[in-house]
Amino acid sequence: DAQQAAIIQRMVKDLNMDLKIRVMPIIREPNGLAMSSRNVHLSPSEHKEALVLKNALQKARDMIKSDETDSERIKYEMRCIINSVPSSKIDYISITDPETLQDIKTIKGKTIIALAVKIGDTRLIDNIVVSPHRG
């Protein structure tokens, strides 16, 4: 997950460790749901409902690519998508700086958008890294 990778990268840098960290892309199922060992706990209907995570992240990406920079507006739209599924319960939606993991109000550059949502009894996480459209 992007937050864990950022923390490990920062630790390696701060401790001056002679290591190279390679962050690999998220592996997704054909329908776009992030692969996770937790997915086996989803019923078939919950598995379909879990696609709201991907849809909410895609909405955020589209908004940023269309020059939306207000993170609260983006989070609002993401919440609307997720809340359209009755079995969902949002733990968090965060829009952060990829190095510091500090929340950002105005998107100016590379950004991590992360979320944790319970679908039924299963807590799922997902994230994307996105940059605003320039030019």
Side-chain angles (χ1 to χ4, degrees):
D1 120 32
Q3 294 119 318
Q4 291 174 352
I7 290 167
I8 300 243
Q9 287 173 320
R10 182 60 185 234
M11 181 183 72
V12 166
K13 181 179 176 185
D14 288 351
L15 296 175
N16 199 28
M17 300 172 91
D18 188 24
L19 297 173
K20 180 173 179 138
I21 305 297
R22 287 198 292 175
V23 179
M24 305 307 286
I26 293 173
I27 307 283
R28 296 187 179 276
E29 295 181 6
N31 64 9
L33 184 64
M35 284 193 175
S36 169
S37 59
R38 297 175 188 170
N39 292 358
V40 300
H41 302 292
L42 298 168
S43 70
S45 63
E46 289 171 338
H47 193 272
K48 288 178 187 172
E49 292 171 350
L51 294 176
V52 296
L53 279 74
K54 175 193 71 112
N55 296 342
L57 290 169
Q58 185 61 52
K59 176 67 173 181
R61 171 179 278 136
D62 292 347
M63 290 176 75
I64 292 168
K65 294 293 184 187
S66 295
D67 297 323
E68 178 60 66
T69 61
D70 184 329
S71 64
E72 288 305 315
R73 279 193 206 126
I74 294 167
K75 287 194 263 187
Y76 172 81
E77 293 295 330
M78 293 176 73
R79 279 191 297 275
C80 288
I81 291 169
I82 295 165
N83 289 332
S84 72
V85 171
S87 70
S88 69
K89 183 175 186 293
I90 297 170
D91 184 1
Y92 68 81
I93 297 173
S94 66
I95 298 179
T96 63
D97 178 276
E99 290 184 26
T100 67
L101 297 180
Q102 295 293 314
D103 288 335
I104 53 177
K105 293 180 190 244
T106 304
I107 297 167
K108 297 177 182 168
K110 192 173 178 183
T111 303
I112 294 175
I113 303 173
L115 46 73
V117 177
K118 278 184 103 173
I119 301 294
D121 293 327
T122 306
R123 184 175 183 269
L124 302 173
I125 60 172
D126 202 346
N127 65 76
I128 57 171
V129 178
V130 64
S131 297
H133 173 68
R134 297 287 180 231

